[in-house]
Amino acid sequence: MRRAGAAGEPVPAEVAAAWAKVFMEQLYGMQKPVRYECRRRGSNDPWEEAEPGDVTHPRRRGLVIRALYLHPPVAKQQHRWPPGSNGQGHCLDCDEAQWLAAPECRPHAPIRDHRSAMPFRITWVIEPLEKLHYLAKHLNPFDRDKWRKEATYLIDRIRDHEKGSQP
């Protein structure tokens, strides 16, 4: 490549394509891009994450697409397709579309329930809310109704929240 470029000789397109293919295979292997980014053609706007339609039809939408990779490639895992998908299904592990999937499967990390990471138990707030409910009897009728409704609502939401975060 250097000799052809230094000599100023024209290089046929198929030779340049073969060089690019070898270069990409040597650099990245058979790994799938981590994500695609796009921006308007001729624009200096920041890169945004591309939608699947942006990746499949960039010229029609006037976009420039770039693929971001990780290197070195990780160990390969095979995709598991639903029976009878005929090229139209999604992987059961990584949810990748069959027509767009890379040779190896990369399942997503399990989603962590952040409610369990609170520095205190939310149920500790129930007792003060019940006291507020009780002490509202010393307020005027309008405020009493307002504070009792709000305290009851919060107590119910906290109990629902605790039910949802139980394993």
Side-chain angles (χ1 to χ4, degrees):
M1 283 192 328
R2 286 185 189 151
R3 283 190 218 125
E9 301 170 357
V11 179
E14 55 270 7
V15 174
W19 288 344
K21 181 179 178 193
V22 170
F23 174 75
M24 294 299 285
E25 287 175 357
Q26 292 298 316
L27 184 60
Y28 297 112
M30 291 299 291
Q31 88 175 276
K32 174 184 160 204
V34 175
R35 72 181 220 182
Y36 293 98
E37 291 184 342
C38 68
R39 67 178 174 193
R40 294 269 169 226
R41 188 173 310 241
S43 169
N44 288 332
D45 294 339
W47 292 92
E48 298 174 353
E49 188 160 356
E51 300 291 324
D54 297 336
V55 176
T56 54
H57 305 290
R59 279 194 183 153
R60 187 180 302 161
R61 297 178 182 197
L63 299 172
V64 177
I65 302 288
R66 72 176 181 183
L68 303 178
Y69 294 89
L70 291 177
H71 192 73
V74 295
K76 294 181 180 179
Q77 176 183 343
Q78 295 296 319
H79 289 283
R80 293 186 314 124
W81 307 111
S85 61
N86 297 333
Q88 301 297 320
H90 291 268
C91 177
L92 299 173
D93 297 323
C94 67
D95 198 39
E96 189 69 39
Q98 192 167 356
W99 67 273
L100 188 61
E104 69 274 357
C105 178
R106 294 197 183 142
H108 303 293
I111 297 174
R112 186 168 168 259
D113 185 4
H114 293 286
R115 295 177 289 192
S116 61
M118 288 184 166
F120 63 93
R121 291 197 43 95
I122 193 75
T123 55
W124 295 349
V125 181
I126 291 178
E127 186 177 347
L129 287 171
E130 287 172 343
K131 294 286 184 190
L132 178 65
H133 196 277
Y134 174 74
L135 293 174
K137 69 180 182 183
H138 300 292
L139 299 173
N140 65 43
F142 177 76
D143 287 338
R144 175 177 40 230
D145 187 46
K146 175 187 172 213
W147 286 109
R148 281 187 174 168
K149 283 181 181 175
E150 289 189 14
T152 304
Y153 175 80
L154 289 172
I155 290 169
D156 291 343
R157 294 296 78 73
I158 290 170
R159 288 191 175 132
D160 291 344
H161 175 82
E162 276 300 303
K163 281 186 214 169
S165 64
Q166 297 298 324

